[in-house]
Amino acid sequence: MPSLLGPFVRCRLGAPLLVLWLVLAGFTCTGSEHTATATLPAAFSDLLPHFLVEPEDEYIVKNKPVTLTCRSTPATQIYFKCNGEWVHQDDHLIERTVDPATALPVMQVTIEITRQQVEKIFGLDEYWCQCVAWSTTGTQKSQKAYIRIAYLRKNFEEEPQGKEVALDQEVLLRCHPPEGVPQAEVEWQRNEDVIDPASDPNFFITADHNLIIKKARLADTGNYTCVAKNIVARRKSTSATVLIYVNGGWSTWTTWSSCSAVCGRGWQKRSRSCTNPTPLNGGTSCEGQNIQKSACVATCPVDGGWSEWSKWSACGADCSMWRSRECTQPSPGTGGKDCQGLDLQSLNCTSEQCPQSECHPHTAKHPLNYGFGFGAEDVALYVGMVAVALCLTLLLIVVVLVYRRKKEGLDADVADSSILTTGFQPMGIKPKNSHLLTIQPDLTTTTTSYQGTLRSRHDTTGKFSMTNGPLLDPLPNGSHTLHNGKLNPDPADFVSRLSTQSYFKTLPRDVANTSYGTFNFLGGRLTIPNTGISLLIPPEAIPRGKIYEIYLTVQRKEDLRLPLAGCQTLLSPVVSCGPPGVVLSRPVILSMDHCSDACLDNWAIRLKKQNYEGAWEDVLLMGEELVSEPYYCQLEAETCRLFSEQLGTFALVGESLHMGAAKRLRLVLFSDAYCSTLEYNIRVYCMDDTQDVFKEVMQMERQLGGRLIDEPHVLLFKDSYHNLRLSIHDMPQAHWRSKLLAGYQEIPFYHIWNGSQRYLHCTFTLERLSLSTCELTCQLCVWQVEGEGQSFTVDSEFLLMDNNATALAGPSAFQIPYLIRQKICSSLDAPCPNGADWRMLAQRLKLERHMSFFASKASPTSVILDLWEAQHFHSGNINQLATVMADIGKQEAMIFLVSDGEC
């Protein structure tokens, strides 16, 4: 044991055996470098050492060494042995004391273990240390202390997965934390708040770290995160979204209504609603009918009828006879009218019949004068009145027949193919100083459209009043438009008529959100006011010899649910145009708003189309369009232009690729137009930034009697799983106070992202301290949790309304006249060596990204002009288009007469 004896005795002696003997005998070697041992008192010389402190297990965190301590009494020496080898004497730190109670010597030794020492044997065995204590009687060994390098890996072995579960179901979220030393402890968080099963017994965390929600509640909807931690680090799993949905249930049936017919066969109905419970968070709606109808027969009212008159009675003593009749053929019943007239008639007898001679002679000559109460002159008057009434009745019948025949003629004209030989004269579009209008088309048949103008409502004050604020201006409910020289039928009649056709059965009967028109090869345009939705039917899109009645409608999201999964969200309205299956010679352009940030790096945006069976299909992935497909999209900042060779039902669905993807939300503030109490409500709507949703909210608030108190604001809502919070600040404290108990209101993330609730809003209830207070200024703060906030000053602003015609047919729907358009196409379709053709036109109009699409068409110039018309119908400047044509190289005034050889 050379390595052991050195520390004990460092005298200059010879053999190690002698040194060992000296130590065991308690010999003290003086005059050397160190004192070898301590001699115990004789009273304690026979005691074995025992440990007051033994080394404990330790973990090395990063590069910080650990310290092991060993304390024993009575002991002459203490040394550490690590992994079977004695630790060098110089690595020990020794401290000697005396226990005052027992007078025994106490010896404490400490050593440090570094990461490098442990790593030398890493993988071979565990690193351990123990200490050995000596006394004059013998030795004792302490327990082993294991030293391990602490760590916690980054990746979870199993992360929780998002789930959608029904109300009251059990939810199991699995979590296997990352490998680590020491083993990681696990806790669960919901929306960044730690879950404590002790305070909420509905939660249970198993021994293997899984989370169980015993009975799912609506409040349990949220983002769940598994958190693993030890002395080294803290790791979070990816959040798992748990959505608790509620499947709809039917309420009880109402009582049957009264029979619809007053008399005879009719129907009666009863209804039920899907409110027991109401479907929430994507839960399924109730299956079955919400209205039942049943045939019924109402007992008809019977008007009374007179029976035949009885025979005249014998002449009485008063020189009169009488006869009677009864109201029994039929008797009045079920509310019918009683018989009108006399039930008893009397008549004076003639002198021969009268038993008395006192009867006057003239009574026999004029019996009617007494029996009926009127003379011959009265009879003539009544006969004349009856004749006049009959004449008026016949005249009314003739007028009705003539009107109905003319109406049938109108429908026949619409379907008459001879109308295709006529043209349309452009109305109200005359730009100044434009070479494009130097040639006017020679067309004969005209069509007239009533076009409204944009109007605005301004409120110049910085505050808004609650006593006499104006109600919302009514939205336009349609404009009068002439199609092919004839007025449109009633919109309600049109929708009712189309509802009997198979292709229109799935469409809602919403006249305000439907536009329609009759079109031929000259094309036209359909627009739904205040929605940003329009359909451009280019010239030649409808084959010559065909005439179509085309409709355009925006669907309500709750009526037509899209299947969305994962991070998908609806980015546009659901728009239908039809009838499906019509033959088109070239694509039409459907324009509709979208609410994405228009950055394809953040999104995978797909165009979905509903097939004839009602299922939704992916027909196009934005950015990966194929020119051979019947669909092509141009995505602008706020609008999508869809080139489609087929009509149908379309929608844009986006799937976020990372948390940088954002939807544009529109925040709109409404209040009560009149306030007669101390309470005052401000409703803050949070909706997709598309015009169709805004229009619906405006119509709904108009019915509620609300008014817009500030212009809409746009907020980017990121796919970060964080909720949206809203709060109101800076109210005049001397006049107002908030009745909201919390400091803010919060809208869950998935309510916005999934779009399951169309009219999300928060209501802030304020209270004025006096009825004389009529003005309010405040700040609305909106922010996404852990995101950047925005602050808006609540002021009155103007509202812009759109009153344009819903349908324009023929040249009046386009800024470029038909013949001029043909000249442009013939001039630019043919390739030019110097590039002065349709390619340069696309570059000057900043449409070069779609070159391959244009090149796939028979007339690229025509498609470019179609897109220009769709983009600039309201704001296009035809003079600028003429300037672009001149820049291409068409310098002469009659630029469209240039031959191909001059190109």
Side-chain angles (χ1 to χ4, degrees):
M1 299 171 55
S3 60
L4 172 64
L5 300 179
F8 282 5
V9 178
R10 301 192 61 178
C11 305
R12 287 171 172 61
L13 299 175
L17 293 178
L18 176 62
V19 176
L20 177 61
W21 179 83
L22 290 175
V23 170
L24 295 178
F27 174 80
T28 301
C29 180
T30 58
S32 62
E33 297 177 17
H34 297 283
T35 299
T37 61
T39 303
L40 294 176
F44 305 105
S45 60
D46 59 344
L47 294 178
L48 286 173
H50 68 275
F51 292 97
L52 302 176
V53 176
E54 296 185 73
E56 301 287 342
D57 294 345
E58 296 288 347
Y59 294 93
I60 296 178
V61 179
K62 297 182 179 180
N63 293 320
K64 186 178 180 180
V66 298
T67 301
L68 299 181
T69 302
C70 190
R71 184 185 304 161
S72 178
T73 183
T76 57
Q77 291 293 339
I78 300 175
Y79 279 86
F80 275 90
K81 177 187 286 188
C82 293
N83 283 53
E85 296 182 4
W86 295 100
V87 178
H88 196 276
Q89 60 184 4
D90 293 337
D91 296 330
H92 290 73
L93 181 62
I94 302 173
E95 180 180 354
R96 298 179 186 274
T97 58
V98 175
D99 187 354
T102 62
L104 289 175
V106 178
M107 188 174 185
Q108 177 176 298
V109 179
T110 59
I111 62 172
E112 284 189 350
I113 306 298
T114 64
R115 185 186 185 97
Q116 290 76 12
Q117 291 175 267
V118 177
E119 287 179 342
K120 285 181 181 179
I121 63 165
F122 181 78
L124 301 177
D125 197 359
E126 286 190 301
Y127 193 97
W128 58 269
C129 291
Q130 68 177 165
C131 59
V132 182
W134 277 266
S135 70
T136 56
T137 305
T139 62
Q140 288 286 356
K141 294 181 179 180
S142 70
Q143 65 182 9
K144 289 184 178 181
Y146 291 89
I147 298 91
R148 302 176 179 92
I149 298 176
Y151 65 92
L152 183 63
R153 302 200 184 282
K154 292 184 178 181
N155 297 325
F156 280 71
E157 295 185 10
E158 184 178 8
E159 293 186 293
Q161 301 295 322
K163 294 184 178 181
E164 295 183 4
V165 295
L167 190 69
D168 294 332
Q169 284 190 354
E170 182 182 272
V171 184
L172 173 62
L173 296 177
R174 298 184 178 276
C175 176
H176 196 169
E179 178 187 351
V181 173
Q183 185 177 0
E185 298 177 356
V186 172
E187 70 179 17
W188 282 88
Q189 295 180 353
R190 180 185 64 190
N191 297 333
E192 306 297 331
D193 295 329
V194 177
I195 295 175
D196 184 12
S199 60
D200 191 347
N202 196 43
F203 294 101
F204 177 73
I205 299 177
T206 64
D208 52 351
H209 311 302
N210 298 328
L211 176 67
I212 295 177
I213 305 175
K214 298 177 182 178
K215 292 183 68 175
R217 305 161 297 190
L218 287 177
D220 294 330
T221 296
N223 299 318
Y224 287 79
T225 308
C226 180
V227 181
K229 57 183 178 180
N230 65 5
I231 59 175
V232 178
R234 175 187 176 96
R235 311 289 188 203
K236 280 188 175 183
S237 69
T238 57
S239 294
T241 301
V242 175
L243 183 65
I244 311 301
Y245 61 86
V246 179
N247 293 326
W250 289 114
S251 64
T252 57
W253 288 102
T254 61
T255 57
W256 288 101
S257 64
S258 58
C259 195
S260 61
V262 178
C263 172
R265 292 183 60 83
W267 55 269
Q268 56 185 167
K269 67 177 182 179
R270 64 176 182 173
S271 62
R272 58 180 178 174
S273 59
C274 191
T275 55
N276 188 28
T278 302
L280 291 175
N281 296 339
T284 58
S285 298
C286 303
E287 295 183 359
Q289 297 179 344
N290 63 336
I291 295 178
Q292 281 187 348
K293 292 185 178 181
S294 176
C296 59
V297 178
T299 305
C300 299
V302 179
D303 294 338
W306 290 114
S307 64
E308 295 292 333
W309 286 102
S310 65
K311 293 182 179 180
W312 289 101
S313 65
C315 190
D318 56 352
C319 200
S320 66
M321 56 184 179
W322 56 271
R323 65 177 181 175
S324 65
R325 58 181 178 176
E326 296 179 351
C327 189
T328 59
Q329 293 186 358
S331 299
T334 321
K337 297 179 181 178
D338 290 328
C339 300
Q340 302 295 320
L342 299 175
D343 60 350
L344 184 66
Q345 271 186 352
S346 62
L347 182 66
N348 287 340
C349 304
T350 61
S351 57
E352 293 83 4
Q353 295 172 327
C354 182
Q356 300 179 1
S357 61
E358 291 82 6
C359 294
H360 299 285
H362 69 274
T363 58
K365 297 180 181 179
H366 305 283
L368 295 178
N369 192 36
Y370 294 93
F372 297 96
F374 51 84
E377 296 83 359
D378 296 330
V379 172
L381 176 62
Y382 287 121
V383 169
M385 292 175 62
V386 170
V388 171
L390 290 174
C391 292
L392 292 176
T393 302
L394 291 175
L395 180 61
L396 179 61
I397 293 174
V398 171
V399 171
V400 171
L401 290 176
V402 171
Y403 172 76
R404 295 182 63 180
R405 178 168 298 180
K406 287 186 176 182
K407 186 175 181 181
E408 292 174 359
L410 173 63
D411 295 337
D413 289 341
V414 172
D416 189 359
S417 62
S418 64
I419 197 172
L420 298 178
T421 61
T422 63
F424 300 86
Q425 181 73 21
M427 299 296 296
I429 304 177
K430 292 184 178 181
K432 300 179 181 179
N433 302 326
S434 173
H435 296 308
L436 296 178
L437 300 182
T438 56
I439 301 178
Q440 293 295 331
D442 185 13
L443 305 173
T444 56
T445 305
T446 62
T447 180
T448 306
S449 299
Y450 293 94
Q451 277 188 272
T453 57
L454 293 177
R455 57 189 173 87
S456 61
R457 173 172 60 83
H458 293 274
D459 186 357
T460 57
T461 62
K463 303 178 181 180
F464 56 90
S465 170
M466 292 149 296
T467 55
N468 56 357
L471 292 174
L472 295 176
D473 291 342
L475 292 173
N477 54 3
S479 304
H480 299 293
T481 306
L482 291 173
H483 297 287
N484 302 327
K486 300 178 177 63
L487 271 172
N488 284 332
D490 185 4
D493 293 341
F494 172 78
V495 175
S496 177
R497 177 160 49 86
L498 288 185
S499 65
T500 62
Q501 305 181 29
S502 60
Y503 60 79
F504 205 74
K505 286 183 178 178
T506 59
L507 297 181
R509 301 191 177 191
D510 191 349
V511 177
N513 289 323
T514 301
S515 177
Y516 62 93
T518 305
F519 304 95
N520 62 6
F521 73 96
L522 291 175
R525 182 189 304 266
L526 290 175
T527 303
I528 303 178
N530 304 306
T531 63
I533 300 171
S534 64
L535 179 69
L536 180 74
I537 307 167
E540 308 294 342
I542 298 176
R544 290 178 179 264
K546 299 287 186 181
I547 184 168
Y548 296 144
E549 192 168 33
I550 296 179
Y551 65 83
L552 177 68
T553 184
V554 56
Q555 304 276 17
R556 295 183 182 271
K557 296 178 184 177
E558 57 267 25
D559 296 334
L560 198 63
R561 294 184 57 187
L562 274 167
L564 301 178
C567 299
Q568 290 183 343
T569 182
L570 186 62
L571 297 177
S572 74
V574 181
V575 180
S576 294
C577 55
V582 299
V583 178
L584 298 174
S585 302
R586 54 184 301 177
V588 297
I589 302 179
L590 176 64
S591 300
M592 55 185 175
D593 288 353
H594 68 85
C595 59
S596 74
D597 56 11
C599 179
L600 293 181
D601 294 336
N602 298 335
W603 293 94
I605 301 178
R606 290 177 172 84
L607 175 70
K608 287 184 176 287
K609 181 177 183 291
Q610 192 177 33
N611 59 23
Y612 291 103
E613 289 76 22
W616 287 91
E617 300 174 343
D618 292 341
V619 295
L620 183 146
L621 178 60
M622 205 74 68
E624 298 182 8
E625 301 92 341
L626 299 177
V627 295
S628 59
E629 296 295 328
Y631 308 100
Y632 188 85
C633 277
Q634 183 207 24
L635 193 68
E636 301 173 6
E638 298 179 357
T639 307
C640 172
R641 315 280 181 189
L642 169 62
F643 292 82
S644 176
E645 298 176 9
Q646 300 175 4
L647 302 183
T649 302
F650 302 95
L652 285 183
V653 172
E655 182 175 3
S656 60
L657 300 180
H658 51 76
M659 292 188 178
K663 288 179 64 173
R664 294 194 326 275
L665 301 182
R666 183 180 300 191
L667 301 176
V668 189
L669 282 71
F670 287 91
S671 68
D672 300 328
Y674 299 96
C675 183
S676 58
T677 64
L678 293 176
E679 284 192 356
Y680 184 65
N681 295 320
I682 296 179
R683 293 179 292 279
V684 183
Y685 288 84
C686 177
M687 65 190 79
D688 292 350
D689 186 21
T690 57
Q691 298 181 56
D692 66 303
V693 184
F694 181 61
K695 175 183 177 181
E696 290 188 38
V697 173
M698 292 289 294
Q699 290 174 330
M700 182 176 63
E701 279 290 334
R702 175 170 155 243
Q703 296 174 355
L704 295 175
R707 64 162 179 153
L708 188 69
I709 61 173
D710 196 13
E711 68 172 288
H713 299 277
V714 176
L715 173 71
L716 288 179
F717 187 77
K718 293 186 177 181
D719 181 19
S720 61
Y721 301 102
H722 294 306
N723 300 337
L724 190 69
R725 290 180 178 176
L726 304 94
S727 59
I728 283 186
H729 307 275
D730 299 340
M731 291 185 302
Q733 299 297 324
H735 305 287
W736 292 90
R737 69 174 180 178
S738 173
K739 300 190 71 175
L740 186 67
L741 298 179
Y744 57 85
Q745 296 196 56
E746 189 163 301
I747 301 178
F749 169 82
Y750 272 94
H751 287 187
I752 299 175
W753 198 258
N754 287 354
S756 57
Q757 300 185 26
R758 191 164 173 80
Y759 310 122
L760 289 171
H761 71 275
C762 294
T763 299
F764 291 91
T765 301
L766 310 179
E767 186 177 29
R768 49 181 175 169
L769 303 182
S770 171
L771 288 174
S772 61
T773 302
C774 298
E775 293 180 342
L776 168 66
T777 57
C778 56
Q779 288 279 335
L780 172 67
C781 294
V782 183
W783 73 98
Q784 199 171 358
V785 180
E786 295 189 6
E788 296 182 357
Q790 295 189 24
S791 177
F792 307 126
T793 302
V794 178
D795 290 316
S796 298
E797 293 290 342
F798 67 90
L799 175 63
L800 191 65
M801 308 296 288
D802 183 8
N803 278 341
N804 288 311
T806 58
L808 295 173
S812 61
F814 306 98
Q815 296 202 59
I816 307 173
Y818 180 67
L819 294 182
I820 299 300
R821 176 192 181 93
Q822 290 180 320
K823 293 289 185 180
I824 298 176
C825 294
S826 61
S827 175
L828 297 183
D829 277 344
C832 286
N834 60 357
D837 53 23
W838 64 269
R839 293 169 295 181
M840 187 173 293
L841 177 63
Q843 292 174 354
R844 297 299 171 86
L845 296 179
K846 301 185 184 334
L847 301 175
E848 58 271 14
R849 189 176 75 86
H850 311 290
M851 284 289 194
S852 58
F853 174 68
F854 299 145
S856 66
K857 303 303 176 184
S859 175
T861 309
S862 181
V863 181
I864 295 173
L865 296 181
D866 293 343
L867 185 55
W868 186 87
E869 289 276 7
Q871 290 175 319
H872 302 97
F873 178 58
H874 296 298
S875 59
N877 188 340
I878 202 167
N879 289 325
Q880 293 179 353
L881 184 60
T883 303
V884 170
M885 295 294 298
D887 292 341
I888 293 176
K890 312 300 182 181
Q891 299 293 341
E892 301 297 328
M894 302 297 289
I895 57 175
F896 307 111
L897 299 181
V898 178
S899 63
D900 293 341
E902 296 174 304
C903 185

